[in-house]
Amino acid sequence: MEKKKPMRRCVGCGESREKSMLIRVIRDTEGEIHLDSTGRANGRGAYVCRDIKCLEKAIKKKGLERSLKVSVPEDTLEQLKKELDVNG
């Protein structure tokens, strides 16, 4: 019997995909917002596809802010884009 793979919804495009196909954006216990490439870090999280376009959609639609329950500063958004470009 095949084990069921966990699914998550991208806050950018709205598509449900396997958790391993997405990257997690978290607000950690210190309030810092960054990418969690392991998917295991503590903190409030949101998932986006490993595509800069999905991250940009999530930013434009305020999906990240709703999921993380905090306003995301512009410089942090730019940092997330750079991290995704390297890690995505």
Side-chain angles (χ1 to χ4, degrees):
M1 183 178 198
E2 190 175 318
K3 189 174 181 181
K4 193 171 182 180
K5 297 188 182 199
M7 302 290 283
R8 299 291 183 269
R9 184 175 306 269
C10 173
V11 296
C13 67
E15 298 269 331
S16 288
R17 302 185 191 280
E18 288 182 18
K19 183 179 171 183
S20 62
M21 301 300 290
L22 303 171
I23 194 157
R24 188 169 175 236
V25 180
I26 67 162
R27 177 173 47 100
D28 64 21
T29 54
E30 285 85 41
E32 297 290 319
I33 298 170
H34 54 90
L35 294 182
D36 170 24
S37 57
T38 65
R40 298 172 199 255
N42 289 334
R44 182 155 194 90
Y47 289 87
V48 293
C49 296
R50 295 175 181 266
D51 181 352
I52 195 78
K53 291 177 184 168
C54 279
L55 179 60
E56 288 171 348
K57 284 181 190 177
I59 292 166
K60 186 176 180 180
K61 296 181 345 182
K62 305 279 187 202
L64 277 180
E65 293 184 346
R66 276 193 308 276
S67 295
L68 300 176
K69 296 189 177 189
V70 68
S71 179
V72 182
E74 189 64 37
D75 60 330
T76 301
L77 295 173
E78 290 303 316
Q79 183 61 34
L80 289 175
K81 288 180 185 179
K82 288 177 187 172
E83 283 184 56
L84 184 61
D85 196 36
V86 170
N87 296 321

